[in-house]
Amino acid sequence: MPISAISGLVEKLADTFVPGEVRKPVVRPVSHCWTSTSDLYVGCEQGHLLNINPETQKVTMLFNPENYTAGNHPGSRLKQGSLDTLVVHKNGLYVAGNDGVLRRLSFKSTDLHIEEIWSSEEPVIKIDFSPDYGTLSMTTNKGAICVYKLENPGGISTIFSVCSGRFLAVDFLAPGQNYCVTVRDSGEVQAWSVEDGTNISTLHLHTQAAVLACCPSSKCVAVGTISGHVYFVDMTDVQNPRLVHRIHLYHIPVQHLHYDQEGQFLITGAADGHMFVLDAKPSRSFSVIGYTVVGCEVITISTLNIREEKQVKVLALHLEDSVDVVGQTKLETFGLPYEMSTSPLYAEQCADNRGVLKNFIIQKQRYTVEHTLCSAVLGTSNTIYGYCSQTKYIHKYLISKETSALETLNVEKEVKAHQTGPAYLCLSPHHQWLTSVAKDGVLQILEAVNMEASAHIQCHSSRTGGIQSVALSVDGRIIVTVGNSDGTLVCLTWRHKTTGKNKVDAAVEYGHSLVSLMEPVIAVENKTLALMPVWISDTESRPGTAEEKETQEISEKKMSVEITEQDESYTSTASISPSNSTWLDLKLEEAIKEESQQFASIKKDLRKGISELRKTIQGMIRENESLPDMEKLDQQEFDLDVEEQERLQTEGQEEVAKVRKEIELENLIQRYLRDVIKQECWDSMAVKGRAVKAFHSDCEVKNYPMKERSQKEMEELERVIQLRKIETVDINTRRELVEILPKNLADKEEEEDTDEGQKQGESPALIGSLSGSFGIASPYLCSQFDLHTKEEKINQILLLKDVIYNIKTAFNREFEAIYKQKEQEISRVRERNQRLQEILAELEIKENIWQPHFADSEKPERALTVQDTEIKVEKFISPEQTAKAEEHAKAEEKLRQTTKNDNIRERALGDMMGGVLEVKKADALKMDIPQPDCMSKADSVWTEDDRRLVKDYEKKIKELNEEREKYKKGLEAEMKKLQTSIQETTQSFDDALNRLFDRKVKSEMIIYQEEMKIASLAFSLVVEEELNTREAQLNFQLEKIRKQKVQSAEVVQQTKSQVDAYRETYDNAVAEDKLLDRGFRKEFNDVPALLVDQLYKLYKRRPRVQKIRTQADNFHPFGDHQGSARAASDAYNQLLRAMDDLDSPENMPETLELPVWERFCLARRTKLESEQQVKHKALTLAEMQAFLQRRLEEDERNRQAMENTLQELNIVREEKMRSQLNLTAQFLLKQGQVEVEGGDFVPDYSDSILVYRNVVEDLNATIKSLGEQKIASMVESKDFRKGIIQLEWERKKMQMQIEDLHNKARDIQMLRVSKELQKYLFETDHDSRVLHEMSVLEQTLALQEKHHKKNSKNFKRVVKELESKIKHMQEQNNKLDEELQELLVSVSERKLVFDAIAVEKNMEANTEQRYQDIIQRRKLVDLAKSQAQEVAVLRAEVERLRMKTFPALIHKEK
C-alpha cells in the first residue's frame, strides 16, 4: 500500500507527497542555461548541477558536492553559491557564483573535470559570452565588469568598475567649491567634481569607515573608522589621493569628526564620551593636544570661532550619564584658545601627564534643557539651536553671560520642523542660515535670527531613509547631500531672486573674505602636506625601525602585577598589544611610569605601613578566634572599608531580591503546571484513581479512574442504541412477512435457530469475550459475522466502549464498598487499640501496638497537600510572622491563666471529691490498706485487740491481692480477646480484598478482550479507508492517463496522415527527378551521339564544395550543425556558385555550339534543383518519421500505463471486497481446543482453520475406537509373544541343567583319590575315627605347649645375653666413633691433599673400578638366569614324578 494512500491523500497531493522519514533535502535552482541538444543545465544553491530533458522530464545529477572527492587544488570542489550563473560553450560549461571563482566544467562520458580559471575577491553575479563566443564577460556585485578572452587564457581585464556601498558623509574640499569628498561604509574615499558630477578619484582604505570631515586650512581629509582609527588623506592632487597618516584614538567606532571654521583644531567624539582635540595642521603632524570627557555618549559636536576672544568655542550634545535618568540629553561647552595651535609649548601645558585638558584653561560649562535633543549647533550671540524628535520642533536657546554650576536653558523660540526624526542641524559658514535634514529627505533652510523658513526642497526619498549628511560651500552658493541608503549624491545651487539675492550676496562676500584670510595658511599647509610620505601599515613596514623599537620597548616595560604579600598587589593598566594600543593607552602608560618613579619612596612607606597594619589585624583575628563565642566578633567586623562593606551588602540584597523574584517566577510556573495537571488528571475525573491495600499481605487493588462521559458521547450512544433497536425490529418483522415456508419446516427451523441461539448465548466462545459472565452483556451488540459496512463497525465500537465503561463502573462500585469497609475496619481497630493501650498501661506492659493506616496510594488527595514534615529545609519566617506568632502565644497564655484562676467548678470538685465524680475499680485496687499502729511495736507488747487488728489487716491484704490478681487476669483475657478480634476482622477483610483482586483480574481480562475487538475493528476501518483512498487515486490516475492516451492517439493519427501526404509528395519529386534523367537524351536528340555522351557525363558531374569553418563556428555551441536549414541553405548557395564556374564557356566541349551549351546548362541547373529538392524532402520525411515514431512510443507508453493502472485498480477492488467479506473474528477457546503450535510469543494463525466442535468430537470418537481396537490387538499379540518367550526360557533352563550335570560328572571322574580319601571311602565307623583323631590332636597340642615353654625359657636367656652383649658393643661403638671422627678429619685432610695432587689419577682409578663393577654385575645377572632355568626344569621334573604316584581317571566322550 503506498504511503500516500495510508496518509489519505488523493489526486495531485498523492503524486507529490513524500514522507518525512524518507524526504531528502530539496535543492533550490538558482541558474539555468540551454545546451546544444535542447537540454537544460540547472545550477542549485547548494552546489548541485543537474541535467534536465524537457521532453521526458528526466533529471540527471551531474555533480553532487556531498559525494565528490576534490583533488589537491581547493578550487576543484563546487560549494554553496558556486553555480549562481551558467553559460554553455563548446569547450565546456563555464560557472561562477558568490565565491568569486570562474570555473570550467568539462564532461567526458561519466567523468566530470573541474578547472579553475580565475578567482576574484568579489562575488560574480552574471557571466555571458559575446556573439562570436570568443570573449566572456563577468559582472561582480561591487559593480565591476571583467572580460576574459579564450584566445588569451592567462589574463582578465577590467573594463568598467563602480564603487559600491552606502554614503556616510560628504564635505567640500577647501578652498573653493569645485570639489566635494564622500566616504562609503566600505572605506572608499571619493572626490567628485561639483560642476559635472564626475568621479575624479577613489582611494580604498581597506577598512570600514564611519565619518568624514575636510580640513578648511589644507586639502586634507580626515576619515573616522569602525576600528577607532582616524585616517588623514592628502588631496593636494585631487586625481591621486594619498594616505599620509593614521592615529588610533578609540577601541570603539569614531562617531564624530569636526573641524573648526579656520581649520586649527580637529575634535573627535565617540560613544564613551571621550572628546579628543587634535592639531589640524599637517605641519604639526596632526598631533593630539589632549582630551576631555563629557557625559556618556556624544551625539553632535559644533564649533564657533570667536576671533575677538581668540578662541574656538565647542558645543557637545551628549546623553546623561546618570543611571536614574535614561535617554536624557545635556549640553556642554568649553573653549580652545588659538595659542594651543600656534604654540606647541603652550599646548603641552594645557593637558596633564595623562592627556586630560585642564579645566581652568578650557572652562567647561554644562547646561540642561527641558526637551531631549537629537542634534544641536552653536550659533552667534550666545545662542544654541536644537531639534527634538519628540516634539518635532527646532528650539532656540539663549545662553546667559552669568556662569553657574549647572544652568538650565529656556526655550526662546521654537519652529515646527521635520515630522520624521531624528534631524541633523547645520549652520552656514556665515552663521546666518540654519540647515536641517532628516529621514523624510527634505532639506530645510531657516533664517538663524528670526527662525523663518527660507528654502524647502525634497532631495531624497523617505522610503530609502532620507538624507544622511549635508554640507555647504564656503560662500553658501552650493549645497550637497547624500542619501541614507539610496547611494545618490545631490548638488543644489541657489536660484537668485530679487528678494533673496541680498542674502546670498552676504554669504558669498563672507566666503570670499574667509578664503582670502586663509590663503597664506592653506598654501603653507598644502606644501607641507604634499611633502609628507605615504603612510604604510605596521604589517607592511620594514622591521627594525626606530618607531617600532620604541613601541616594543614601551610594551615590554609595562608594569605587571607585583604581589608582595597575600593581599598587597600593584597592577598596571590592562595588557594591550602594541599594535592595538590607542593614544590614550600609551599616554596612561607613560604617566604611570612617571608617577611610579616619582612616588617610589612614598609607595614603599605605604607598603610598609600596610604590612604592619595587616600583621596587627591578623593578630587581632587570631586572638578573636581563641575567645569564647559570646565575646567573639564576626569576621565582617574586621573590615576596615565600611563603604565597601555597605556596597557588598547592598549588592547582596539586590542579588537576594533578584533570586527571590526568579524563585517566585519559577514557583508561579510550577503552580500553573500543577493547576493544569490537577485540572486534567484530578478535577476532571468523575472517579478518582485510588487503591486499597491488604492489612497482612502485599495485595493491592486499584480502581479504574474514569472521566464523565460528555453529552455528545451520550447522544451518539443513544443514537446507536435506537438504531440497533430499529434494526432488530425490522429484521424480526421481515422474517415474519417475507419468508414463506411450510409451517412444520418453519417451526423446525425456528426450534433449531432457538437452540443455536441458546447455545450461542450460553457459550461465550463466539462472542469473543466473557462480558456476559461478568453480568455486563449488551443486547444491542452485533454478531462478529455481520459487521460488513463501515457504519456497522463504528456503531459496534461505540457499543463495545459502552460495555467497557459499564464493566469499569460495576467494578468501581464493588471497590467503593471494599474501601468503605476498610475505613470502618480501621476505625474499629483504632477504638480497640485505644482500649489495648489502656490495658497495657494498667498492666504496665511495654508492647508496640499495630496501628493500621492508609497509604498514599489509598489517599491520593494527600499529594495535593504539602505537609510541613515533607519540607526538609528550614522554614523561613519573616519578622512580621514571628512578631504575630509571639503575640498570639501571649494571648493564649493569658487566656489560659485567666480561665485557670476563675474555674470554680474544678476548684470545688478538687476540694470536695478529690477531683473525680466517680471512683473506678482500677483506682480502688490501686489504693493501699493502711497498717495498724500496733505493727510499729514489738510483738511481745501486742494486746488482744492489736492481734485482732493485725489479723483483720492481713485478711484485707490477702483479699486485695486476690482482687488485684483476678482483675489482672480479666484484663489479660480482654486484651487477648481484642487482639484476636482485630486479627480476625482484618483477616476477613484481606479475604474479601483477595476476592476483589480476582474480580479485578477477570474484569481486566474482559476489558482487554473488548479492547482487542475494538482494535481489530479500528484496523479494518483503517484498511478500508486506505483501500478507498487508493481506489480514488487510481481512478484519478486512470482518467488522467486516458486523457493523455486520447491526445496522443489524435496526434499519432494526424502525424500519420501528414507523413503519408508528404511521402506522396516525396515520391512525386523522385519520379520527376527520374523523368528528367531519362529525358536528357530526348531533349538533346539534335546533338551528335558522341557529344551527347560527353554532355551526359557533364550532366552527371557535380562540383565539390569545400566546407569552410571559421574560428567563431568552432567556439559557437549553437552553430549550424549538419542537417540544419541554415547549413543546407549555405551549402546550396556554395553549390550554385560552384555551378557558375562549371557553366562558364571555358568548360564547354570544343565542337559544341554556344546555344546548345546554354540550353545544356539550363537543363543541368534544373536537374540540380530537382536533386536538391528531393534531398531536402528526404531529410524532412526522415524527421517526420522520427517524430511519428516518438509519438507512437509515447502512445504505447500511455496504453501500457493505462493497462497497469487498470490491473492495479482491479487488484485494489478485489482486496477491498475480500476485506469486507473476510472478517476478523475473536474466539475464546480452551487450551485443548487449540491445535496450533505456539511460537516464542504469539502463535501464528495465518495458515490455521476453524472447524466445528462436533467434527472434532466425531473424529476423536473414531480415533478412540480405532485406538481401542489397536490396543486390544496389541494386548493379544503381547500375550502370545509372552508364551513364546516363556517356552524359550524353559528350554534354556533345561539346557543349562543338562550342562551342570555334565560338569558334575566330569568333576567326579577327574577327582584325585588320596590316601585319606581312600580311608574315608573304605572306613565304615566314621565317629570312632573322628574321636581317635581328636585324641591324637590333643596329645600333640600338649606336647607343643610343653615344647613352647621350654623354648621360651631358652629365648629369654638368650635375650639377656644379647642385651649384655649389646651394652658392651655400644661402649665399643662409642670409642670407635671417637676414633672415627679423628680418622675422618685426617682422611679428609689427606683426601684434599690427594685430590689436589693426583686428580687425573684418581679419575682413571674410579673409571676402572666402575668398569669392573659393571662386568661383575653382568656375570651375576647371567648366572641368575641360568640358575632360574635350572630351577624351572627341576620343578617340571618334580611335578612329573608326583603325578606318577596318583591314579588317572579318563573321561570318554559319548
Side-chain angles (χ1 to χ4, degrees), residues 160-384:
F160 181 71
S161 178
V162 296
C163 297
S164 62
R166 186 172 63 90
F167 281 118
L168 295 178
V170 62
D171 201 355
F172 281 95
L173 186 64
Q177 55 188 12
N178 298 326
Y179 305 103
C180 66
V181 182
T182 61
V183 66
R184 299 177 184 265
D185 55 0
S186 59
E188 297 172 353
V189 180
Q190 296 174 287
W192 304 84
S193 174
V194 178
E195 295 180 0
D196 54 5
T198 58
N199 182 18
I200 299 175
S201 61
T202 301
L203 177 64
H204 295 271
L205 299 180
H206 302 289
T207 184
Q208 291 186 350
V211 67
L212 172 141
C214 293
C215 180
S217 60
S218 64
K219 290 187 176 181
C220 177
V221 178
V223 181
T225 64
I226 299 295
S227 60
H229 294 80
V230 177
Y231 289 80
F232 294 91
V233 181
D234 173 23
M235 285 286 184
T236 54
D237 186 0
V238 182
Q239 295 182 354
N240 298 309
R242 301 180 308 123
L243 179 63
V244 295
H245 187 66
R246 188 187 79 169
I247 187 170
H248 194 186
L249 297 178
Y250 301 96
H251 290 293
I252 57 176
V254 180
Q255 294 181 348
H256 305 281
L257 289 177
H258 190 84
Y259 282 100
D260 66 290
Q261 194 174 32
E262 297 181 1
Q264 300 183 25
F265 303 104
L266 173 64
I267 299 98
T268 67
D272 58 355
H274 286 66
M275 295 180 62
F276 287 89
V277 179
L278 285 76
D279 196 322
K281 298 177 182 178
S283 58
R284 297 287 302 277
S285 301
F286 310 106
S287 60
V288 180
I289 299 175
Y291 76 96
T292 183
V293 180
V294 289
C296 181
E297 179 181 356
V298 180
I299 300 176
T300 57
I301 299 175
S302 177
T303 59
L304 179 65
N305 289 70
I306 304 176
R307 295 188 181 91
E308 296 80 6
E309 300 179 3
K310 293 185 179 181
Q311 70 170 356
V312 177
K313 195 171 184 179
V314 182
L315 171 66
L317 174 65
H318 60 85
L319 292 176
E320 177 63 40
D321 55 357
S322 176
V323 180
D324 300 334
V325 182
V326 180
Q328 187 68 30
T329 56
K330 287 190 177 182
L331 298 169
E332 193 163 339
T333 60
F334 57 90
L336 301 176
Y338 284 176
E339 196 174 355
M340 281 187 181
S341 176
T342 57
S343 175
L345 182 61
Y346 180 79
E348 293 179 359
Q349 295 175 357
C350 290
D352 57 10
N353 58 351
R354 295 178 180 266
V356 181
L357 294 175
K358 298 177 180 179
N359 194 22
F360 69 90
I361 294 178
I362 63 176
Q363 296 180 357
K364 292 174 64 175
Q365 183 67 30
R366 181 172 294 186
Y367 304 96
T368 61
V369 292
E370 180 181 359
H371 304 92
T372 300
L373 304 179
C374 61
S375 179
V377 293
L378 184 62
T380 58
S381 303
N382 294 327
T383 57
I384 295 176

Side-chain angles (χ1 to χ4, degrees), residues 25 40 51 55 92 130 188 215 218 224 243 303 339 449 451 504 623 668 803 842 864 935 1044 1076 1141 1206 1325 1381 1388:
L40 273 175
N51 184 6
E55 293 185 359
S130 60
E188 297 172 353
C215 180
S218 64
L243 179 63
T303 59
E339 196 174 355
V449 180
M451 300 286 288
V504 176
E623 182 181 359
L668 180 61
V803 171
E842 291 180 3
L864 304 176
M935 293 186 69
Q1044 294 177 357
L1076 290 175
D1141 296 337
L1206 280 173
D1325 191 1
Q1381 292 294 333
S1388 61

Side-chain angles (χ1 to χ4, degrees), residues 59 190 748 916:
V59 180
Q190 296 174 287
K748 186 181 294 184
V916 295

